[in-house]
Each structure stands twice: as C-alpha cells, then as structure tokens.
Amino acid sequence: MERRNLNIFGSGSYSGGHYAKVKIKGDGTVTSDIDCQEFKTHGNSQLLGNVKAESFIIYGTVDIKENLKSNVVKINGTMDSNGDISGHQILIRGNGEIDGNLYGETVEVKGSLSVNGNCEVETFQLDGGFQIGGLLNAGSINIGMKYGESRVNEIGGESITIRKKPSFLGLSKHFGKMTTELIEGDIIYLEYTDAKIVRGNKIEIGPGCNIEIVEYKENFKQHKTADIKESREI
C-alpha cells in the first residue's frame, strides 16, 4: 500500500498510521502510534503513541509519550520522552530527557542528557552534563563535563575518558564534576570524578578525583591532586 504524506502547518491534531513523510511546522499533535519513513518538526510536536521511523529530526521541542525507534534521531532543541529511545545514530544538540532507557550504536550529545533507566550504546560522546539513573555501558565513552554535577550509577566500557572541559561562559571551577558508584573498563582516564570503585587494566586518575578504591591489572598512574584511599593490583 502506498504511503501518503502528513503535513501540519500552524496547529492541528491528527491520528497516527502509516505515512511516508510527516512534517510539522508550528504546533502539531499525533494522537496514536505512527510509522513513517521521515518525521520532521519545525516548532512543537506532541506524540501520544509509539513512533517508528527511518529518520526523526526535530528543530524545536518534541514530547513523546511512548517509545521511539528510528535509524537516525537528531534533536536540535528539546526532547522529553516517557518511554525508551532506540536508534542507530542519535544526535542531541540541546536537552534530552528520557524516562526509560536509551539504546543505540552512536550517541553524541552537546548539551544535557537525562536518562532515568540505562544507556546502552556502542559509542557515547558528550560535551555538557548528564544524569543516568542506571548503567552507562558502551565500547567507547568520551565525556567532557562543562557544567553542573553529572551523576550515573555505574559505568562500563572498553575505553573510558572523562575530562573537565572549560565552558565558554567561564563558569566556576566548582562546576563540571561527576559522581558514580563504579567505573569498570579496559583503559580508563578520569578527571574531577568521585567514585567508590575504579577497576580496569590501565588506569590513570587525573586531577580533581576522589576515589575510594582503585583496582588495576597492568598499569596505574595518579595525579598529585587526586585523593585515592586505596589502590591495589589484581
């Protein structure tokens, strides 16, 4: 069956269904599940059902009440989701708030990210601040903290780098800190991180860190300003 397009200009409310392209310019609401090849918003959109798409692109704000599954997700603005977000490539320029879990191949965030559940991806890159209620698990993790106090329950990965990056606003030196229970990986470099346990093969603890226990297999380095209660080879 041939798919038709759905265009909302100004403000309006439409039912879901199967579409080729969905475009919203203004304020639009989709009241039930939607399956489309391309979804694009310039303005504000509210999606009351599940969303399945090949590409999902937002310029403005989007409120998703259920789950989103799309090959490409690009948020230029604000996304608020009550369900899970999954995709091959997920790019957020602004603010993303997810009540469920975040799944993907590549996640790149410039701004802020909040995930109440777990974040499980292959590559995770963030410049800004984040809150993850569960586990952050990725093959490659590269975090540049620019502001706020970032928190995550546990971090697991192969290569893990967490740095404090200067903000163009020139915010206080007290900003850009991360707190977690456990960090476990192969190669780990940390700055301005508070953790109970850091475990890995090659570990370097940089400036501004407070670590209770470091467990390493091959190599361990400690910056002179780092506070580590105990380090041991395993």
Side-chain angles (χ1 to χ4, degrees), residues 86-116:
S86 59
H88 181 79
Q89 183 184 42
I90 299 172
L91 305 175
I92 299 175
R93 301 289 187 270
N95 179 49
E97 295 190 9
I98 302 167
D99 285 342
N101 303 297
L102 178 60
Y103 305 108
E105 292 293 319
T106 300
V107 171
E108 183 180 332
V109 180
K110 289 190 177 181
S112 63
L113 175 68
S114 175
V115 180
N116 282 344

Side-chain angles (χ1 to χ4, degrees), residues 36-62:
C36 62
Q37 295 167 350
E38 179 184 295
F39 185 98
K40 185 178 289 186
T41 290
H42 292 266
N44 304 307
S45 58
Q46 187 175 41
L47 311 177
L48 304 185
N50 294 293
V51 181
K52 183 179 180 181
E54 287 297 317
S55 67
F56 185 86
I57 302 171
I58 302 298
Y59 297 93
T61 64
V62 61

Side-chain angles (χ1 to χ4, degrees), residues 49-52 64-70 73 79-87 90 97-103 115-119:
N50 294 293
V51 181
K52 183 179 180 181
I64 307 169
K65 297 302 183 183
E66 298 293 341
N67 302 313
L68 166 64
K69 184 176 183 180
S70 179
V73 177
M79 174 178 66
D80 191 348
S81 170
N82 288 9
D84 296 340
I85 303 294
S86 59
I90 299 172
E97 295 190 9
I98 302 167
D99 285 342
N101 303 297
L102 178 60
Y103 305 108
V115 180
N116 282 344
N118 298 320
C119 179

